[in-house]
RNA sequence: GCCUUGGUGGCGGAAUUGGUAGACGCGCUGGAUUCAAAAUCCAGUUCUUUCGAGAGUGUGGGUUCGAUUCCCACCCAAGGUACCA
């Protein structure tokens, strides 16, 4: 039937088109990137997802679509583009699910990944899937373990300002001991000579080296939940108890693997100036690192052996000290507390252990603390200074102790007022009867012996000098950044390639034995003795003879032949979520390499990420740790660049638009939005798929969905039931999740891609409302129609003007990541060309290329219809030509006192005077002036005329 | 609390160096087509209005011939705040 056939071709059949081109790309490996090419390289990376059980919702692809548009654009611009994707597949939700169901996390993870892949494939991304990585794959985490071993085998030399092999440190110990070394290390390292070093036992040597290594064991404070037998994140704690089950949580010290990221504090700060990342993100890293200059001051304690070290940014105010405050967790607290105060102090310490750090920081209104009964000695006046404890001092910041200067610090001031402690005034001519005076710049110091009369800067210098003379202080730069805890008491993470020898000292597995694979366990919970889940593994001991090594049971290990045997129990902790994501961007360059983390050729070709797209919530986690690892790999000659990503864009969150029906509190009635009035009602979530574009509820479907309301009476308005709408986080529990699959099915991937971009600026968060998608879908239909008639005719001036206006705008928009305005531009362009009845291939061809990064499937199809036989993916981007846009006249807006009243069309080559003359003579002007004489006439040629008066 | 971002019609948003506020789209209203509907097309749509005009970009001030845009103070919402990823 020829009639039907013709009609078929007339219609935009997105399902058929999208399937066709996705198959084509896959079959032809259109987007496979080569590790060498004559073209310049460009590396576009989107942060890889954690494959959760819920699947993708429309919020996830936002950043991927933006990245994909940019990657496709760069191909049109002649670049060899690397655009990979993978999965951050270790993580807590899979483990939680395993605990609940007993299913191995590897199985659920595999299922989730397959689902993600299906969903991603539907959207038509130009990923090079041959490079996929999964952090939970042994082939991948082999190299995570390898980096860990490199960190263990390195120390930070402050003299060369970089990480070096531990062997260079040992050589120096052998030569000079540790007296001449400038290293970043633990604070409690004793001094030793070369001779002493040589005489140390192996165990002693290993213990000392551990204090220098870039990853090391230390006691760190954690949120311990005894009932769950696990450590909790701050956000798993609500009001001091665990979110799950409401159990008590306490602060507790545990031995943990740590990363000496503090060694890189200054370089992480300095590096920010060299990368094009959003300023807010840089700000949060800067604040996180928290550099402050000041002094470290040592206070002796009266009648007790020991001293208190504090860090202060205001050594100039040292004569204003009237008390000291220690964090309740400070190690000296139990030592210095007098018997009379013991009970009160212990009670306070216990109470504080129940509060989270965040709670303590956020709560500035409640003032609490206890006097220890002990006194310190002021370094200069030798007067006694009472020592208090207070939870506003955090153990993890600085030294966990402050010298309190109430006249100069508001928190100290409030504390002193509350507990009736003296507030000596050390500022010249400043009233401190109401509040502390923290303005450094605008006063001079008084009542301060040798500091009297000095302004802030001079007083700081002088105070430090005097402290140095006493041997009780020195100038110091302090960082808020702390070493990162790298152990997790979890199952579903990378095992540490570590066993413990007879002395209990950690030993690294040799590279040939990597990866050390995650063992099977029966239960994913902590053991009965409170050990991490790996404690449940039957075989988790390392047994090695020479080049032969394997994982065995404890019995096998104990009974094995002792001659030449090495090994011991393996580490029970696993690595944290950020371990696998800290170098994945490099691994994509050469993901199947089994000999090395990646080849020199690959890393020297791709070097670094040119554009990285991801959420701002990773600002101080993933993005700081990755920069740290990259700098370390750089120091050790493994990576050629100090920073892994030149440019970074944060995509915003897509929120959901929840729908509510109003259920009467007493009666079994639900009211439409407009008829609620002042009735007492409860809002009840309705699934957004049951609501149409006009907020009208499908009542029958709703009744099937919520059988408990099937019998309810629905009070309508105008015969319809209208829901109320509210923007909330997109989440299953709020029934506002929208799946991209459904959208692709109903409107197609190209519509989804366009609509995600059309919603608003990439960086901002914005609500999703499926109703609006008909707009971009309608645009694609119009675009399709525009290509129904095409020929080799010459384009008109109007055609060319529309085309080149569009080229200019779209190119600018892509470069500025302003994708939403591009979509509008396409709509305007197609509306104009349709009105112009444009049929010229010389216009339609370039337009298809412009559209193709955004809507690649329809673009390929139209490109083919135009007679091309090659994929559009590598077609050259159209060149903008100014000459088609030149205008000779302008619609001048004429405003009165800054308010536009009417426009006049005038030639653009008029002078200021000519414009003024013409405008003032215009009848509309005369009408608006109504006989008044203007005070002033502002003429900006090419822009505006403003008449004042 | 602190740091960061944002606030413009009924809704998403546009306005690239201070120069025509509301582009584009949704929704809504009216019309064409249709037996009817869907789809499509056309017109209108910031608010108030005595139809002359007036007001208007979270609130209150300021700078300027002119402010969504710059400055000050405040209000509200979202993200982060070290073991969610």
């Amino acid at each position: 039937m020829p009639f039907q056939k013709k009609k078929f071709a007339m219609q935009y059949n997105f399902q058929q088109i999208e399937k066709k081109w996705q198959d084509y790309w896959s079959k032809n490996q259109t987007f496979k990137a080569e590790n060498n090419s004559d073209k310049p390289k460009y590396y576009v990376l989107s942060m890889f997802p954690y494959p959760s059980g819920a699947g993708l919702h429309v919020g996830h692809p936002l950043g991927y679509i933006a990245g994909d548009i940019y990657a496709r654009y760069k191909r049109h611009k002649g670049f060899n583009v690397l655009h990979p994707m993978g999965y951050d597949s270790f993580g807590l939700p899979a483990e939680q699910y395993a605990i609940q169901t007993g299913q191995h996390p590897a199985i659920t993870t595999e299922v989730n990944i397959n689902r993600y892949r299906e969903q991603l494939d539907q959207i038509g991304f130009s990923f090079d899937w041959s490079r996929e990585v999964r952090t939970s794959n042994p082939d991948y985490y082999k190299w995570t373990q390898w980096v860990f071993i490199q960190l263990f085998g390195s120390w930070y030399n402050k003299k060369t300002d970089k990480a070096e092999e531990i062997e260079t440190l040992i050589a120096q110990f052998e030569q000079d001991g540790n007296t001449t070394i400038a290293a970043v290390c633990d604070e409690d390292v004793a001094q030793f000579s070369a001779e002493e070093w040589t005489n140390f036992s192996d165990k002693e040597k290993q213990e000392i080296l551990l204090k220098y290594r870039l990853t090391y064991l230390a006691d760190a404070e954690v949120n311990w939940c005894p009932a769950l037998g696990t450590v909790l994140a701050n956000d798993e704690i609500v009001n001091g108890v665990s979110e799950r089950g409401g159990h008590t949580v306490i602060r507790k010290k545990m031995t943990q693997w740590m990363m000496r990221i503090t060694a890189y504090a200054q370089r992480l700060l300095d590096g920010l100036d060299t990368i094009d990342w959003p300023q807010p993100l840089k700000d949060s890293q800067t604040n996180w690192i928290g550099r402050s200059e000041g002094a470290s001051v040592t206070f002796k304690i009266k009648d007790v052996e020991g001293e208190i070290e504090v860090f202060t940014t205001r050594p100039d105010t040292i004569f204003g000290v009237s008390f000291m405050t220690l964090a309740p967790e400070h190690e000296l607290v139990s030592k210095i507390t007098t018997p009379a105060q013991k009970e009160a102090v212990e009670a306070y310490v216990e109470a504080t252990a129940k509060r989270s750090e965040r709670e303590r920081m956020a709560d500035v209104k409640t003032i609490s603390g206890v006097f220890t009964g002990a006194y310190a000695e002021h370094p200069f006046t030798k007067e006694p200074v009472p020592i208090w404890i207070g939870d506003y001092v955090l153990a993890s910041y600085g030294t966990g102790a402050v010298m309190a200067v109430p006249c100069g610090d508001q928190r100290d001031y409030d504390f002193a007022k509350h507990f009736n402690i003296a507030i000596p005034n050390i500022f010249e001519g400043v009233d401190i009867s109401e509040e502390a005076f923290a303005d450094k710049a605008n006063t001079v110091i008084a009542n301060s012996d040798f500091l009297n009369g000095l302004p802030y800067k001079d007083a700081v210098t002088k105070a430090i000098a005097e402290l140095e003379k006493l041997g009780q202080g020195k100038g110091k730069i302090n960082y808020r950044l702390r070493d990162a805890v790298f152990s997790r008491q979890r199952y579903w993470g990378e095992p540490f390639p570590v066993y413990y020898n007879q002395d209990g000292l950690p030993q690294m597995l040799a590279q040939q034995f990597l990866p050390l694979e995650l063992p099977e366990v029966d239960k994913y919970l902590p053991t009965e003795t409170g050990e991490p889940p790996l404690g449940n593994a039957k075989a988790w001991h390392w047994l090695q003879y020479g080049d032969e090594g394997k994982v065995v049971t404890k019995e096998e290990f104990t009974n094995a032949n002792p001659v030449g045997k090495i090994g011991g129990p393996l580490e029970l902790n696993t690595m944290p979520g950020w371990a696998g994501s800290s170098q994945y961007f490099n691994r994509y360059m050469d993901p199947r390499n089994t000999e090395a983390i990646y080849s020199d050729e690959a890393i020297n070709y791709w070097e670094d990420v040119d554009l990285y797209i991801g959420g701002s919530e990773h600002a101080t986690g993933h993005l700081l740790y990755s920069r740290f690892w990259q700098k370390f790999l750089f120091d050790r000659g493994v990576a050629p660049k100090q920073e892994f990503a030149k440019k970074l864009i944060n995509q915003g969150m897509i929120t959901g638009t929840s729908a509510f029906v109003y259920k009467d509190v007493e009666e079994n009635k639900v009211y439409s939005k407009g008829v609620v009035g002042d009735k007492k009602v409860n809002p009840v979530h309705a699934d957004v798929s049951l609501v149409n574009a006009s907020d009208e509820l499908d009542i029958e479907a709703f009744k099937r969905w919520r059988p408990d309301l099937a019998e309810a009476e629905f009070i309508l308005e105008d015969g319809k039931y209208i829901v109320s709408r509210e923007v909330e986080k997109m989440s299953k529990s709020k029934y506002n999740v929208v799946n991209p699959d459904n959208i692709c099915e109903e409107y197609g991937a190209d519509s989804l891609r366009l609509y995600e971009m059309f919603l608003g600026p990439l960086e901002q968060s914005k609500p999703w409302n499926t109703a609006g998608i008909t707009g971009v879908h309608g645009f694609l239909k119009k675009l399709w129609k525009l290509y129904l008639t095409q020929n080799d005719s010459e384009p008109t001036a109007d055609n060319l003007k529309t085309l080149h206006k569009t080229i200019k705008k779209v190119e600018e928009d892509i470069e500025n990541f302003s994708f939403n305005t591009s979509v509008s531009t396409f709509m305007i362009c197609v509306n104009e060309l349709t009105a112009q009845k444009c049929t010229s291939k010389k216009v339609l061809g370039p337009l298809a290329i412009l559209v193709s990064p955004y809507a690649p499937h329809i673009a390929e199809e139209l490109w083919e219809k135009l007679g091309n036989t090659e994929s559009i993916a590598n077609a050259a981007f159209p060149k903008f030509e100014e000459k088609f846009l030149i205008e000779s006249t302008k619609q001048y807006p004429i405003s009165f006192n800054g308010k536009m009243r009417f426009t006049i069309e005038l030639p653009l080559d008029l002078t200021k005077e000519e414009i003024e003359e013409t405008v003032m003579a215009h009848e509309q002007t005369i009408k608006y002036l109504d006989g008044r004489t203007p005070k002033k006439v502002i003429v900006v040629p090419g822009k505006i005329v403003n008449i004042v008066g």
Side-chain angles (χ1 to χ4, degrees), chain A residues 491-504:
Chain A
Y491 174 73
W492 193 231
E494 298 86 350
F496 284 85
V498 173
Y499 66 89
Y500 292 86
N501 67 9
Q502 286 172 333
D503 295 326

Side-chain angles (χ1 to χ4, degrees), chain A residues 875-922:
Chain A
F877 203 78
K879 204 172 167 331
F880 166 65
E881 287 184 69
E882 184 77 48
K883 67 179 178 195
F884 297 114
L885 299 191
I886 292 165
E887 301 270 3
S888 57
T889 63
K890 151 114 193 146
Q891 284 286 340
Y892 273 92
I894 310 303
S895 26
F896 292 78
N897 298 318
K899 259 205 157 357
M900 204 281 289
R901 296 303 176 191
F902 57 91
T903 59
I904 305 177
E905 184 166 356
L906 295 173
L908 270 167
D909 54 8
L910 291 189
T911 64
K912 256 186 163 182
E913 290 69 29
E914 288 168 326
I915 295 171
E916 183 169 343
E917 209 175 304
T918 322
V919 169
M920 293 314 287
H922 197 271

Side-chain angles (χ1 to χ4, degrees), chain A residues 29 300 422 468 473 478 606 880 925 949:
Chain A
Q29 301 200 50
K300 289 180 179 141
E468 276 176 9
N478 193 52
W606 292 111
F880 166 65
T925 311

